[in-house]
Amino acid sequence: DATLYKGDIPAIYDSRLSSVLDIKTLDEIPYKFNMQGGIGILTSRLTLNMPFNKGKSALLLGGRITYGGVLACNLIENLKGNSMYFYDFNAKIMHTFNDKNRLYVSTYIGDDILGMDSLMTMTYGNKNVTTRWNHVFNDNLTSNLSVFYTNYRYRIGVSMEPYDFSITAGIEDVSAKYDFTYMMNENITTRFGASATFHQYGQGKLEDNTGVIGMYMGVDPTNEVIRKALEYALYFSNDHKLGPLFSIRYGLRLSMFQNIGKETLFLFDDNYECYDQIEYAPGEIFNTDINLEPRIAAMYQIDEFSSIKASYLRTVQYAQVATNATGGIPFDLWFPASPNIEPQKCDQFALGYFRNFLNDEIETSVEVYYKKMHNVIDFVDNASFIGNLYIYGEVRKGKGYAYGIELLARKNFGDFSGWISYTYSKSMRKTPGINFDREYVSPYDKPH
């Protein structure tokens, strides 16, 4: 099951300015073995759901692979010797101890692989492992205690004269989260909890077998930069029905972000020249950011066929991304907020009108939004990212805004169903030191 939150992100979700895609795997133990899958020209998939232990436990296995690129690289003359494919794999064990306690252990592994005639390879993907304990205190109060590990990584390798090198980077997290859901009555549902995460940002490790690329980029291959941070949060969200026509969801998130050593903090002057450095020991906390993130959304039912929704939220993102496409190779680096870089903040407003026709067979909607962003960053031309100890000196801080309108019509019933949508949007930025201090289009601008 998947739910996309765009303009109305509940307070239980954190760390992003844009949107949240909440994906849930099956939680129910089946009463008998079942299997589903498909074989296609480009991809195949298979899911197995197997109960055991007299129905108290179950094992869920799911996988998907594409071989369209493999076939193309073997059948098309110009592509022979290349490789293009991806795969992903899910596994989940569910066990019921009693009516009040359940345990879930799940994992996901996925990779995308692109290789061009043994001259260049690109691999990127994710791994995660989650253990979750679900406990029912009573009919009104339940909880979920989760501990999880995630690893996003990618690697680019080039082997062509005179180059023979690879670059790896990624993010590694270890997290714990304790969520509670309290249903006071049929009109009020409250969610609250706390979370803690240990981040490790790998900012580019260069393995250079010939030394050419390191000399060209001015990078010492021994400079593997890993920055570490801690992130905590307390959060509260309440869904409240105020009668048959009006409902509201309000919440508050208190987040805290800390940089920790071992790290060398470089200090920069107004001309972005490094003038000093401070050494921090392993585990030493040297910077703390604390932020409040209010969220509120309301819906008014005009009649049985139409409604209006409005929302406001503030989100804070402590991770910044550096994008570099030099040489045609996309290479993004994530790094944390620090004394040199403030966390990004966003205030977003949204308003929508929704109406159904023909006894709810056709749904239509129109939504408008406006986002004001603070502390967004950009980089000077020809910035060096890989293994760059002075990367904060390449950064310029500015402001941004985005706005748009979204139109949707959907037919849900009958032999013929589907939907059509259109969005117009703009995303702009203004950063001192970039584009002669004039406003410019952001990398995320997609007008139509």
Side-chain angles (χ1 to χ4, degrees):
D1 179 64
T3 303
L4 177 65
Y5 297 95
K6 297 182 294 181
D8 173 21
I9 302 176
I12 62 174
Y13 300 107
D14 64 338
S15 298
R16 291 296 179 266
L17 299 192
S18 55
S19 58
V20 172
L21 182 61
D22 183 7
I23 302 173
K24 294 182 174 67
T25 53
L26 295 174
D27 274 352
E28 295 300 321
I29 295 176
Y31 68 92
K32 66 177 182 178
F33 171 83
N34 63 77
M35 174 178 65
Q36 58 181 343
I39 299 176
I41 298 175
L42 301 179
T43 63
S44 292
R45 65 193 188 278
L46 179 65
T47 301
L48 305 175
N49 205 352
M50 300 170 285
F52 62 95
N53 191 25
K54 298 180 180 180
K56 293 183 178 181
S57 307
L59 173 63
L60 172 68
L61 298 174
R64 181 177 57 151
I65 188 169
T66 179
Y67 36 76
V70 177
L71 293 175
C73 292
N74 283 280
L75 297 177
I76 301 175
E77 187 65 30
N78 292 339
L79 295 179
K80 286 188 175 180
N82 299 331
S83 60
M84 294 182 291
Y85 66 96
F86 72 81
Y87 70 89
D88 52 41
F89 172 76
N90 284 278
K92 187 171 187 177
I93 296 177
M94 300 169 276
H95 178 69
T96 301
F97 293 96
N98 50 49
D99 292 341
K100 295 184 178 297
N101 295 279
R102 285 189 174 191
L103 183 67
Y104 306 89
V105 180
S106 59
T107 184
Y108 168 85
I109 301 172
D111 275 304
D112 290 64
I113 296 96
L114 170 65
M116 291 190 285
D117 199 22
S118 302
L119 300 178
M120 189 184 81
T121 58
M122 294 177 59
T123 303
Y124 58 95
N126 292 274
K127 296 178 182 178
N128 71 54
V129 180
T130 302
T131 299
R132 178 167 63 93
W133 170 47
N134 172 253
H135 178 66
V136 178
F137 291 94
N138 51 52
D139 291 341
N140 302 99
L141 180 63
T142 61
S143 69
N144 283 285
L145 175 62
S146 304
V147 178
F148 46 96
Y149 165 84
T150 66
N151 186 341
Y152 164 68
R153 75 280 177 203
Y154 55 94
R155 178 183 183 274
I156 297 175
V158 176
S159 180
M160 62 179 75
E161 291 293 339
Y163 306 112
D164 186 8
F165 69 93
S166 66
I167 300 170
T168 57
I171 307 173
E172 191 173 18
D173 289 348
V174 178
S175 304
K177 189 175 184 180
Y178 206 1
D179 285 315
F180 295 85
T181 301
Y182 177 65
M183 298 182 63
M184 182 178 297
N185 52 52
E186 62 180 9
N187 294 321
I188 301 176
T189 300
T190 303
R191 292 189 66 178
F192 59 95
S195 65
T197 303
F198 173 60
H199 301 284
Q200 293 189 92
Y201 299 86
Q203 296 188 243
K205 178 182 178 182
L206 173 66
E207 295 182 3
D208 189 3
N209 297 323
T210 62
V212 176
I213 192 69
M215 184 182 303
Y216 171 75
M217 298 176 62
V219 175
D220 183 352
T222 62
N223 287 345
E224 181 183 2
V225 181
I226 298 178
R227 289 188 164 91
K228 301 176 182 179
L230 295 170
E231 186 173 353
Y232 312 93
L234 296 172
Y235 43 89
F236 160 86
S237 181
N238 202 40
D239 290 287
H240 196 169
K241 293 182 180 179
L242 301 171
L245 301 179
F246 186 70
S247 61
I248 187 171
R249 177 166 63 207
Y250 49 89
L252 183 65
R253 186 176 188 88
L254 174 64
S255 59
M256 182 171 71
F257 190 85
Q258 296 179 315
N259 299 94
I260 62 174
K262 179 180 180 182
E263 183 168 333
T264 301
L265 178 66
F266 296 94
L267 305 178
F268 298 89
D269 58 23
D270 293 339
N271 295 318
Y272 301 98
E273 297 291 338
C274 180
Y275 67 88
D276 202 355
Q277 64 186 55
I278 305 174
E279 299 288 340
Y280 293 100
E284 183 178 359
I285 296 174
F286 61 89
N287 179 60
T288 299
D289 272 303
I290 300 176
N291 288 279
L292 281 173
E293 305 174 42
R295 322 264 174 104
I296 185 169
M299 185 186 76
Y300 178 71
Q301 193 80 27
I302 300 174
D303 53 41
E304 59 179 318
F305 300 111
S306 58
S307 62
I308 295 176
K309 298 179 183 179
S311 65
Y312 162 77
L313 60 89
R314 162 161 280 206
T315 53
V316 178
Q317 181 172 315
Y318 295 101
Q320 298 272 14
V321 62
T323 301
N324 188 0
T326 300
I329 301 175
F331 196 79
D332 293 345
L333 291 178
W334 290 86
F335 56 96
S338 76
N340 290 314
I341 296 293
E342 297 178 65
Q344 298 179 83
K345 299 178 182 179
C346 175
D347 294 296
Q348 176 169 306
F349 303 86
L351 178 65
Y353 175 70
F354 303 80
R355 183 173 178 83
N356 294 353
F357 298 90
L358 302 179
N359 295 321
D360 295 334
E361 286 195 10
I362 297 179
E363 299 177 1
T364 63
S365 64
V366 53
E367 293 182 88
V368 294
Y369 68 90
Y370 178 81
K371 302 173 72 167
K372 183 68 174 179
M373 292 160 282
H374 313 270
N375 304 325
V376 297
I377 63 168
D378 209 332
F379 290 82
V380 296
D381 292 342
N382 303 313
S384 175
F385 297 161
I386 309 305
N388 185 0
L389 299 176
Y390 306 99
I391 190 170
Y392 290 113
E394 312 273 15
V395 173
R396 303 295 183 265
K397 181 181 72 173
K399 297 182 179 180
Y401 66 90
Y403 61 86
I405 181 170
E406 301 180 349
L407 307 172
L408 172 69
R410 185 196 309 270
K411 185 176 183 297
N412 296 318
F413 300 97
D415 296 331
F416 182 75
S417 61
W419 53 265
I420 184 170
S421 65
Y422 168 75
T423 297
Y424 174 79
S425 62
K426 287 294 294 180
S427 180
M428 305 297 294
R429 289 185 178 179
K430 188 175 184 180
T431 307
I434 304 294
N435 195 38
F436 305 102
D437 296 343
R438 295 195 299 254
E439 192 175 86
Y440 60 97
V441 174
S442 88
Y444 306 104
D445 184 66
K446 300 289 186 292
H448 302 283

